[in-house]
Amino acid sequence: MTLTERLRRLDVTTVIMWIIGGLLLFFIVLGSIQSILKGTYTPAQWFDFFVFGISQGSIYALIALGYTMVYGILKMINFAHGEVFMMGALTTYFLADEMNRRGVFDDKGALGPTLLSTLFGLIVLFAVAIFISMTVAVLLERVAYRPLRGAPRLVPLITAIGASFFLQYTARGLYGSNNRSYPNVDLLKGTVTFGQFSIQVVQIVVAVTAIAMMIGLYLFVQRTKTGKAILAVAEDKQAAALMGIDVDRTIVITFALGGAMAGVAAILYAIMFRQAHFFMGFIPGIKAFTAAVLGGIGNIPGAMLGGLFLGIFESLGPTLFLDGLGINSPNQLKDVIAFTMLVLILIFRPTGIIGERLSEKKA
Amino acid sequence: MRKRLMLLLMVLMMVLVACGNAVSPETEDAAGTAVSEAGEAADAAADAAAEAADDAEAAVDEAMDDAEEAMDDAEEAVDDAMSGDAMANCEADELGCVTVAPGEAVNIAYALVISGPNEPLGRDSANGVEMAVEAFGELDGHPINIIVGDDGCSPEGGQTVAQRLTADESIVGIIGTSCSSAANTAIPLVTQAGMVMISPSNTAPALTAEDRGDEYAGYLRTAHNDLFQGRVAADFAYNELGARTAATIHDGSIYADSLQQVFADRFAELGGEVVAQEAVNVGDTDMRSVLTNIASNAPEVLYYPVFTAEAGFITSQAKEVSGLEDTILMSADGAFSPDFIKAAGDAAVGMYQSGPYVASADYDAFIEAHVEKYGTVPPSGFHAHAYDATMILLNAVKEVAGMGEDGTLYIPRTALRDAVYATKDYAGLTGTLSCDQNGDCATGEALAIFELTEDVVSDPDNNFPPAAIYQPGTGE
Amino acid sequence: MRQRAQGKSPLRRAIDVGLIGSIPALLLALVGMVDAFSNRYLLEESVSTGQVMLAVVALIVGYLAARRISLPAQTVATKIGYGAVAGLMVGLVLALLLFIGEVVGINLRKVLVNASPALYEILAFNQAPAVGMLLLALMGTLLGALGGALFVMPARLRSAIITGITVIILLALLRDIVKLVFQQYEPTTALYRFLFTPNGGLTKIGLLLAFLLPAAADYVWSAGRPTLDRRYHALPDGTQKSVRWVGLAVAFILLLLFPTIFGRFPSEAMNNVILLGIMMGLGLNIVVGFAGMLDLGYVGFFAIGAYTMALLTSPQVGGGMNFWTALPFSLLASMIAGIILGIPVLKMRGDYLAIVTLGFGEIIRVLVLSDALRPWFYGAPGITGVPAPNVGGMLLNNPETLYYLLIAVMGLTLFISLRLRDSRLGRAWMAVREDEDVAEAMGINLVVTKLMAFATGATMAGLGGAIFAAKLGSIVPQTFNLLISVNALAVIIIGGMGSVPGVVVGALLLIGLPEVLREFAEYRLWVYGALLVAMMLFKPEGFWPDEGHRRELTEHDPEETPQAPGPADPPLPPGTVRDRAAVARADIRATHTEDEAGLDE
């Protein structure tokens, strides 16, 4: 396409959008340059921001996977997915607390050497959280969504919102409204230092686990028969049904996988932030949804990228973009930054960073 | 289906209206006897009193005096005079009178945030109210009943709950609201209805400012005015800790915002420098960015009067941010709870918190009873304030309530309000409380600064509250 | 699933139904609701509504078991037996909870905070645990059998009994609100005293009356309705019309008398319904229902309207205008915001639009809250001292008078909505909703049409916001959160998307219900969430779907209905938008190969 042809195809709205995008970009660049030139922050601190962003972002990404897979297959926003995450984190707390009291996570080592005992403890926690989140996700599908298969698209959205309330307050009723604190795992304390840069062990663990899980999920979906069934159903339910794929079962598996990822996210959140309460799922849920759209909804690598991007924007953005412009309390505005970045990316790439769809064909 | 629904609605409305109009004549006969039975003695007494009051305006007072004299004279006369007295007194009350028939419950209400993200704050206070009512027992043979309201922690929630509660004339007083934003819209309505409202957790200075309007007359609080608490914290930081630079963080709530501002103003007034006033959002988990921002200013003290969850994140992450290793951390009563200490973990050792000067033995007993009743420790930091507020209200009710000879209770609203304002040296869980004319029942004296020591942090459930290390007035 | 179930013996299936049904009973007990309602009584001071909730679960389980399992040929006793078995299971599960907690003595409370001694006491009917367990099983069986019996009896009787039971339970649960309404007038106060005991629930006679009267009314009504219907339709057209007019007039008069009849608190609740439900719903209905653009940031415009009003009128921030002079500015500000937001999202569809608008709503809230913009918007404490609206010399500062202003404004918005729906613009919106490409091909200017939708919707939200600020007198940024948008969206979906009367029904259900549910206190949102799910499951098309658009809304992309091929296009009268669109679509599809996920697909 030649330049003139492109110019001819431009309409007013596109021009306005590009102008808005350009302006935003200008301010972002201006703010960044000023912030960096001001020299308030050392390179080590900039690096810190970046690392915080990655660890927070990888949790977003894990939750976003649940959104994106369900969206890919059912074209619905599973608003209650944040509560799936919450249920995993809050329920597992009681086990973690009991294990901690028995000395599983410290050198009192009820189960042999500290490393083994801690590892064992964490694996059990992951397993339990995955199980719980999976169960909640599958029940959710069975009770609230399956009967609505084929209803207008916004109907399951409202059901999801209702289910979200219900789960939140079920958790509140069952476990109380106290803010529960996960034990501090001894082995995860401390930092690793290279030169002037340092990273906390827990952040490395979180990021590595999250990325490993995502790669695992991606391979699962791409390589296994079940995974391919998910892709097929996402592509065309009818055709998939004709090919002998059990559509209902595949959808359940999708929810279960999303739930499992939320369960992993729950424990990663728990070891990093060490708090759990009944309202904890709401904000990560919204953020993860944003991350899923940012990366291109319905797209697994997209959700990963989207999550990481969002985490980094939130962590780095306020200081990088706003501090230099002399704005008060920039961290209060991190949601503004996150959503502005979203708009900006959607202006230039209307279907997210990577693009839509779970299946490869249309990516 | 749609038709049926509409019809059902219509019919329901019709039935309600019909009930109101058609059924009443016959029921009047049926219910009339019950009513008259219940109120016969009262009516008779009312007639007597009314007759007495016929001639002159002062007649009521005279009748009162007469009755008091009569009380001294003879036993029999006492009963008669009492009922007439209590009733006449009550009916002459400017703001109205609550009559509680024999066997009926005395209604108090709470308007606290019991839904949404701020629920722990309201649930915590609600538990305090419920426990106080339980501990108070019966009032002259009348049980105490709590009517539940949700202030939603917002102006619209405050308005709606106030409309709901003030419409019920049997309510003598309200414990609430949880949030200052809800208080702004609720207070005028409550005052207008002649009720009295005591808040366990509103801290915004404007609510009890000296120039607060008449529409605030029905409002008091046992929570610490930010002006006291922020000042105490700043004094402590400047004088006791010897800090000369400070930074603050708030979470966008009115509570935190105004408390940190008072702190900052006082700190600057003392001669210190406030190097940063930052803000986070409720629900944020990663505080490292904001802490890194603050670290670049290297403050000696970091004051963050936010609630449990965010305070937990800030405390535990502050030690992980380079540049804040030596900064002294301080928070306030919004996070003064074992839950916060657990959330913060080891990082909380050595930090300071301002909070109510709780009388340890009573408070421990309270916590024990709380765990017994609700299965957990209190979820936030205002349960003791709520307990005290309820006790102050109920004691005042007890003081002003007059008993008719048939057991009817008469509670005059103006007298009740005055009695609450007159509360003096009440020994509560949160210290010794005396209400001033602007509605502040907790003064700076009832505050203390606590240091979180190794002991407390290692076993917060059993060692909470920590020992107070500084009290205004004594420390200076 | 069904085939597998058929293979099991009926007894096994009854047990299954009972076990599944015991989950809600267990939840009710463990979230603390049974305990919380233990001192709100149904009958005098003996049967608590907490117990009644469990009983109702057992009853429903018994009914469902009988309905799902029994065959028409089976005897009445067998059918009731299935119910009894299922009910027994519910009783047994609760007994098991009692057993674990009280007899074995495992402290469940470490995890489940509401598994308290008080709960066990209620479950055991204040008896020793062993006796309690026996009683639970017995009561379960009895109630299950009753549920089974409900299934067996004739439909008319069943419906009458259910109505009666519903009324007494509602009366007991909502006692405090009933009291407020009844105690306004002397005769109704007497009626209240007759129906209710002072501290407990209904009196014995009250209970009997409250059960029998509605039940009888239901019975008579269901008997007489067909005849009435027939007679009504037999009437000449003119008379039918006048009957309808009389009905409307009565409804209108009732609407006007609402504050007088029900008093202060219900008026306040009604005001909230109108403001946050109907007006927000009508505005959003234009964007989502008519034009098909999913907007989750609708609260942003509401906030802009409210803040403009507050900034211009509150003397505390230097505004001195009165309500009516400030109102046009509010509307203008939100309209401009609507257009400004509209431009960048013009090209986005479906869920991209949803998240971007959601972001917009959040941005507005965070900005007015922020310290950075505090000099202009006053940050966290918000703005106080906003004067109430005035009409003539009268200040509308109580719910009863404000109600009339709201009714008037609501009438206006309703009228505008209806006129817009039938206008050329409305048709254009619907065309865009159905298929953007086709609409464009038909000569509809997409930019103008979409921006008009955003602007109109935003203006209505601004109107709501302005009144909201004036009604409250003080606003804080935290009010304008996502939930308001979500609620407005739920209102229009529950009502039936695109349907104007549906918005009214949806608002009554979704904003009115939580107001009534205030009596459930902290369980309000729990119940609300469950009801939201239930309503959607039972009425996915909404409670009052727009007749003209029902067909369009229930039809899907074939991709979405895997089990059955998509329903064939229903025959439409020639000349409708859709019909023309269908013709045009074939041509368009040839040139547009991109498969875009839109809201309407």
Side-chain angles (χ1 to χ4, degrees):
Chain A
M1 212 187 291
T2 62
L3 190 67
T4 42
E5 202 176 322
R6 277 194 174 209
L7 280 177
R8 203 148 32 80
R9 282 172 63 99
L10 277 182
D11 54 41
V12 191
T13 48
T14 322
V15 173
I16 295 177
M17 273 165 66
W18 282 70
I19 290 174
I20 294 175
L23 269 176
L24 284 175
L25 231 96
F26 171 75
F27 277 109
I28 287 171
V29 171
L30 183 78
S32 308
I33 292 174
Q34 290 212 334
S35 303
I36 293 170
L37 288 184
K38 238 167 70 177
T40 324
Y41 301 99
T42 62
Q45 281 174 321
W46 287 117
F47 179 74
D48 281 349
F49 285 131
F50 190 73
V51 175
F52 304 151
I54 291 201
S55 51
Q56 173 84 65
S58 52
I59 291 177
Y60 288 158
L62 278 177
I63 307 174
L65 285 174
Y67 276 102
T68 229
M69 288 175 60
V70 167
Y71 183 87
I73 207 158
L74 287 179
K75 301 283 173 293
M76 67 163 280
I77 305 169
N78 181 7
F79 231 88
H81 193 62
E83 315 314 329
V84 172
F85 158 80
M86 176 273 293
M87 276 293 192
L90 197 51
T91 312
T92 318
Y93 156 79
F94 297 96
L95 182 67
D97 192 48
E98 194 55 40
M99 284 164 96
N100 185 47
R101 221 168 285 157
R102 309 240 161 135
V104 174
F105 297 118
D106 49 35
D107 47 9
K108 279 172 261 168
L111 299 161
T114 316
L115 178 68
L116 266 181
S117 156
T118 305
L119 254 182
F120 168 78
L122 285 179
I123 287 172
V124 172
L125 289 187
F126 274 115
V128 172
I130 288 174
F131 172 75
I132 292 189
S133 291
M134 230 178 192
T135 315
V136 174
V138 168
L139 278 179
L140 198 63
E141 194 272 336
R142 183 67 194 82
V143 176
Y145 304 148
R146 192 182 297 177
L148 291 174
R149 200 95 23 95
R153 285 188 63 184
L154 287 180
V155 170
L157 177 71
I158 302 299
T159 325
I161 290 166
S164 170
F165 277 120
F166 181 77
L167 286 174
Q168 248 173 40
Y169 287 90
T170 302
R172 194 215 71 93
L174 292 179
Y175 308 132
S177 48
N178 288 51
N179 196 16
R180 307 287 187 166
S181 306
Y182 266 84
N184 210 344
V185 179
D186 277 353
L187 272 188
L188 296 177
K189 293 175 184 168
T191 50
V192 180
T193 317
F194 333 78
Q196 56 168 325
F197 302 113
S198 64
I199 308 181
Q200 288 176 308
V201 176
V202 64
Q203 289 177 330
I204 299 176
V205 171
V206 167
V208 169
T209 318
I211 289 167
M213 289 309 294
M214 289 187 270
I215 292 173
L217 180 74
Y218 185 71
L219 292 179
F220 177 83
V221 170
Q222 294 294 327
R223 299 282 165 81
T224 64
K225 220 171 167 180
T226 323
K228 285 179 179 160
I230 294 177
L231 291 181
V233 174
E235 188 67 29
D236 188 333
K237 287 198 196 69
Q238 272 186 300
L242 290 175
M243 298 321 249
I245 294 171
D246 184 341
V247 173
D248 272 343
R249 193 170 153 267
T250 311
I251 291 174
V252 169
I253 290 172
T254 311
F255 270 87
L257 281 175
M261 291 300 134
V264 174
I267 296 303
L268 293 181
Y269 181 98
I271 59 176
M272 189 151 94
F273 298 117
R274 302 196 10 260
Q275 285 192 28
H277 52 96
F278 77 100
F279 215 77
M280 69 188 281
F282 182 71
I283 289 171
I286 301 268
K287 292 285 169 66
F289 174 36
T290 314
V293 175
L294 196 63
I297 194 158
N299 179 316
I300 292 176
M304 304 181 204
L305 262 185
L308 292 178
F309 265 74
L310 190 69
I312 294 167
F313 286 144
E314 279 192 353
S315 170
L316 203 57
T319 316
L320 185 61
F321 306 154
L322 299 179
D323 204 44
L325 299 174
I327 286 169
N328 286 338
S329 309
N331 277 288
Q332 209 177 11
L333 300 176
K334 71 182 181 189
D335 288 356
V336 175
I337 297 206
F339 286 117
T340 311
M341 293 310 289
L342 175 79
V343 173
L344 204 57
I345 284 175
L346 289 184
I347 284 177
F348 294 111
R349 288 196 60 89
T351 52
I353 301 174
I354 293 197
E356 234 177 65
R357 288 301 152 108
L358 194 59
S359 56
E360 283 177 313
K361 210 175 77 188
K362 291 188 179 171
Chain B
M1 190 59 208
R2 185 180 96 206
K3 261 189 200 154
R4 263 183 69 187
L5 200 84
M6 278 302 291
L7 281 169
L8 200 78
L9 273 174
M10 291 269 291
V11 169
L12 258 173
M13 279 179 124
M14 295 285 197
V15 167
L16 275 173
V17 177
C19 281
N21 299 332
V23 187
S24 48
E26 49 175 294
T27 35
E28 210 159 26
D29 300 334
T33 45
V35 174
S36 60
E37 251 173 60
E40 210 157 353
D43 282 0
D47 290 344
E51 271 170 42
D54 261 343
D55 296 329
E57 282 173 34
V60 178
D61 290 343
E62 272 178 36
M64 258 168 58
D65 291 342
D66 290 348
E68 267 163 33
E69 279 163 32
M71 202 156 59
D72 292 332
D73 288 347
E75 283 270 297
E76 265 178 59
V78 173
D79 287 8
D80 281 31
M82 274 277 280
S83 63
D85 176 28
M87 232 184 67
N89 229 341
C90 194
E91 290 193 347
D93 197 282
E94 206 178 309
L95 294 174
C97 167
V98 182
T99 329
V100 188
E104 263 183 45
V106 176
N107 285 328
I108 67 166
Y110 67 66
L112 301 163
V113 50
I114 47 176
S115 64
N118 296 303
E119 193 258 10
L121 173 68
R123 185 66 252 164
D124 176 75
S125 303
N127 291 354
V129 176
E130 284 166 14
M131 289 181 65
V133 166
E134 212 163 87
F136 186 84
E138 294 202 334
L139 182 81
D140 296 336
H142 297 263
I144 311 283
N145 178 41
I146 308 174
I147 291 176
V148 174
D150 182 1
D151 82 359
C153 204
S154 63
E156 65 276 19
Q159 189 177 57
T160 311
V161 76
Q163 299 284 17
R164 158 78 180 81
L165 296 177
T166 53
D168 188 344
E169 283 167 8
S170 69
I171 293 175
V172 288
I174 301 169
I175 303 301
T177 57
S178 282
C179 302
S180 301
S181 54
N184 277 329
T185 49
I187 292 169
L189 295 168
V190 171
T191 305
Q192 201 185 5
M195 293 180 187
V196 58
M197 178 157 90
I198 311 179
S199 166
S201 61
N202 295 157
T203 59
L207 297 175
T208 54
E210 250 174 56
D211 58 350
R212 66 177 191 163
D214 286 341
E215 71 269 23
Y216 284 76
Y219 174 80
L220 302 95
R221 63 175 159 204
T222 53
H224 300 288
N225 190 327
D226 288 338
L227 287 178
F228 303 143
Q229 192 172 187
R231 194 186 166 95
V232 168
D235 285 351
F236 175 75
Y238 191 88
N239 295 327
E240 299 294 311
L241 299 175
R244 291 299 173 264
T245 53
T248 64
I249 303 178
H250 71 86
D251 64 359
S253 66
I254 300 182
Y255 160 79
D257 181 49
S258 95
L259 197 46
Q260 63 86 24
Q261 193 55 50
V262 172
F263 174 91
D265 291 348
R266 175 68 178 169
F267 196 76
E269 187 189 316
L270 288 169
E273 190 197 352
V274 179
V275 291
Q277 281 177 283
E278 278 282 350
V280 295
N281 300 304
V282 173
D284 278 2
T285 49
D286 197 339
M287 306 294 180
R288 294 176 182 98
S289 307
V290 70
L291 289 168
T292 307
N293 291 154
I294 288 173
S296 66
N297 296 308
E300 289 166 65
V301 165
L302 176 59
Y303 184 61
Y304 47 101
V306 295
F307 291 104
T308 307
E310 286 76 25
F313 291 133
I314 292 176
T315 313
S316 62
Q317 292 168 22
K319 297 290 169 195
E320 297 165 1
V321 171
S322 57
L324 288 179
E325 293 89 348
D326 300 324
T327 301
I328 299 165
L329 304 179
M330 281 182 76
S331 79
D333 54 3
F336 189 57
S337 71
D339 275 345
F340 158 71
I341 299 173
K342 279 190 260 176
D346 302 341
V349 176
M351 74 173 288
Y352 298 94
Q353 285 193 294
S354 54
Y357 182 61
V358 288
S360 217
D362 289 352
Y363 187 74
D364 287 348
F366 173 87
I367 294 292
E368 223 166 87
H370 189 284
V371 174
E372 172 77 14
K373 188 165 159 63
Y374 300 104
T376 60
V377 293
S380 186
F382 295 94
H383 42 276
H385 298 89
Y387 185 91
D388 286 349
T390 315
M391 278 301 185
I392 288 176
L393 177 66
L394 289 176
N395 283 334
V397 172
K398 188 175 185 148
E399 192 188 318
V400 301
M403 171 81 92
E405 62 179 0
D406 56 348
T408 307
L409 215 53
Y410 299 96
I411 305 162
R413 291 196 187 275
T414 315
L416 175 65
R417 188 184 279 180
D418 293 345
V420 174
Y421 272 98
T423 301
K424 197 148 176 49
D425 297 329
Y426 169 75
L429 288 180
T430 58
T432 308
L433 305 177
S434 303
C435 303
D436 68 16
Q437 76 278 9
N438 298 323
D440 268 321
C441 295
T443 54
E445 306 297 312
L447 269 167
I449 304 274
F450 301 88
E451 183 182 2
L452 301 185
T453 54
E454 191 88 47
D455 273 359
V456 181
V457 174
S458 61
D459 189 5
D461 277 342
N462 293 319
N463 296 340
F464 191 85
I469 57 156
Y470 171 84
Q471 261 203 288
T474 58
E476 277 177 351
Chain C
M1 203 62 183
R2 189 148 292 167
Q3 274 87 10
R4 244 185 300 151
Q6 296 290 350
K8 284 185 189 169
S9 77
L11 194 65
R12 268 297 300 281
R13 286 169 59 205
I15 292 175
D16 284 354
V17 172
L19 286 179
I20 293 173
S22 66
I23 295 174
L26 216 49
L27 268 182
L28 276 175
L30 289 178
V31 299
M33 215 161 152
V34 171
D35 186 18
F37 282 78
S38 64
N39 47 15
R40 189 175 292 211
Y41 297 99
L42 180 73
L43 173 64
E44 288 173 351
E45 289 185 42
S46 54
V47 186
S48 81
T49 43
Q51 289 164 325
V52 170
M53 285 173 198
L54 294 180
V56 168
V57 172
L59 199 71
I60 293 175
V61 165
Y63 172 76
L64 287 179
R67 198 179 76 174
R68 290 188 66 135
I69 300 162
S70 61
L71 303 166
Q74 282 167 326
T75 63
V76 169
T78 325
K79 291 177 184 171
I80 294 179
Y82 291 141
V85 170
L88 173 68
M89 293 325 288
V90 176
L92 282 182
V93 169
L94 289 175
L96 185 70
L97 174 67
L98 191 61
F99 182 74
I100 294 173
E102 279 284 76
V103 183
V104 183
I106 295 176
N107 187 7
L108 294 177
R109 252 190 137 180
K110 268 190 182 160
V111 178
L112 305 168
V113 295
N114 280 308
S116 61
L119 174 70
Y120 296 139
E121 237 169 69
I122 297 165
L123 285 182
F125 300 92
N126 297 322
Q127 309 290 324
V131 184
M133 284 161 61
L134 215 65
L135 278 175
L136 270 177
L138 231 131
M139 286 299 285
T141 318
L142 202 69
L143 286 161
L146 266 176
L150 268 183
F151 171 71
V152 175
M153 66 181 55
R156 266 177 65 193
L157 192 62
R158 176 168 67 226
S159 140
I161 291 180
I162 292 174
T163 309
I165 292 178
T166 315
V167 168
I168 52 173
I169 292 178
L170 281 180
L171 274 180
L173 279 177
L174 305 180
R175 192 195 75 198
D176 288 340
I177 285 190
V178 174
K179 184 171 122 187
L180 285 189
V181 172
F182 275 46
Q183 287 199 338
Q184 296 181 86
Y185 303 104
E186 276 297 322
T188 45
T189 310
L191 178 65
Y192 175 81
R193 292 223 176 120
F194 175 69
L195 287 175
F196 288 90
T197 56
N199 300 324
L202 293 152
T203 55
K204 284 197 184 87
I205 305 169
L207 185 85
L208 210 63
L209 275 181
F211 176 78
L212 282 181
L213 283 181
D218 183 279
Y219 196 76
V220 172
W221 175 247
S222 56
R225 209 180 63 145
T227 339
L228 272 180
D229 258 10
R230 220 177 24 248
R231 278 204 203 143
Y232 172 72
H233 287 296
L235 291 172
D237 268 0
T239 328
Q240 272 193 32
K241 211 172 184 178
S242 43
V243 168
R244 247 176 291 153
W245 273 111
V246 170
L248 270 177
V250 170
F252 185 69
I253 290 170
L254 278 180
L255 200 64
L256 286 187
L257 287 178
F258 189 89
T260 324
I261 298 173
F262 291 100
R264 170 155 296 188
F265 173 63
S267 308
E268 169 77 11
M270 201 62 191
N271 287 349
N272 287 342
V273 169
I274 295 173
L275 198 54
L276 292 170
I278 299 179
M279 286 178 57
M280 289 290 278
L282 284 175
L284 188 62
N285 193 37
I286 288 176
V287 186
V288 180
F290 291 174
M293 297 183 286
L294 180 51
D295 183 351
L296 285 180
Y298 198 57
V299 66
F301 309 120
F302 186 68
I304 288 171
Y307 262 88
T308 313
M309 173 58 71
L311 285 169
L312 291 178
T313 58
S314 169
Q316 289 176 16
V317 295
M321 293 191 188
N322 75 18
F323 176 80
W324 298 107
T325 28
L327 190 63
F329 292 100
S330 271
L331 300 186
L332 198 69
S334 39
M335 189 177 85
I336 291 171
I339 295 171
I340 290 177
L341 170 76
I343 292 170
V345 301
L346 275 177
K347 286 278 161 82
M348 295 174 192
R349 292 189 184 190
D351 303 291
Y352 292 95
L353 186 64
I355 188 71
V356 169
T357 48
L358 184 150
F360 173 75
E362 284 294 287
I363 286 176
I364 299 262
R365 183 180 64 81
V366 174
L367 283 181
V368 291
L369 175 66
S370 69
D371 288 358
L373 298 181
R374 178 164 294 212
W376 298 282
F377 297 118
Y378 302 91
I383 300 171
T384 52
V386 185
N390 58 316
V391 172
M394 196 170 69
L395 217 53
L396 306 180
N397 57 0
N398 59 35
E400 292 94 328
T401 48
L402 199 62
Y403 174 83
Y404 292 101
L405 174 70
L406 281 168
I407 284 284
V409 176
M410 178 188 82
L412 185 72
T413 357
L414 262 175
F415 177 73
I416 293 175
S417 271
L418 286 171
R419 296 303 303 156
L420 274 177
R421 185 188 63 181
D422 299 333
S423 71
R424 191 185 173 81
L425 185 61
R427 288 277 138 200
W429 281 334
M430 282 162 220
V432 171
R433 176 184 76 195
E434 293 306 307
D435 194 323
E436 266 183 35
D437 302 322
V438 177
E440 194 168 19
M442 303 295 298
I444 290 171
N445 184 337
L446 282 188
V447 175
V448 172
T449 315
K450 283 185 166 186
L451 284 184
M452 279 301 280
F454 266 110
T456 321
T459 313
M460 286 197 184
L463 177 63
I467 301 178
F468 183 75
K471 168 179 180 277
L472 285 178
S474 91
I475 52 172
V476 296
Q478 303 291 16
T479 295
F480 304 100
N481 56 33
L482 179 63
L483 271 185
I484 293 191
S485 306
V486 163
N487 259 330
L489 185 67
V491 161
I492 62 177
I493 307 293
I494 290 275
M497 201 166 92
S499 150
V500 173
V503 170
V504 178
V505 176
L508 279 173
L509 282 173
L510 283 193
I511 313 290
L513 209 58
E515 293 293 343
V516 177
L517 289 178
R518 270 179 194 282
E519 300 304 303
F520 287 77
E522 55 205 285
Y523 299 99
R524 180 162 69 116
L525 291 177
W526 191 67
V527 178
Y528 176 69
L531 283 177
L532 208 55
V533 175
M535 282 192 238
M536 285 282 77
L537 290 183
F538 293 122
K539 289 219 135 271
E541 77 281 6
F543 279 83
W544 195 321
D546 197 283
E547 291 294 338
H549 307 120
R550 185 186 274 179
R551 294 176 294 246
E552 296 157 10
L553 286 165
T554 45
E555 193 201 7
H556 309 286
D557 201 291
E559 211 183 41
E560 309 227 344
T561 43
Q563 286 84 3
D569 270 26
L572 282 162
T576 59
V577 173
R578 195 168 171 75
D579 191 41
R580 276 180 275 143
V583 179
R585 182 179 287 170
D587 312 334
I588 301 295
R589 274 282 152 87
T591 50
H592 285 254
T593 44
E594 306 156 359
D595 183 10
E596 281 160 309
L599 179 65
D600 44 331
E601 273 188 72

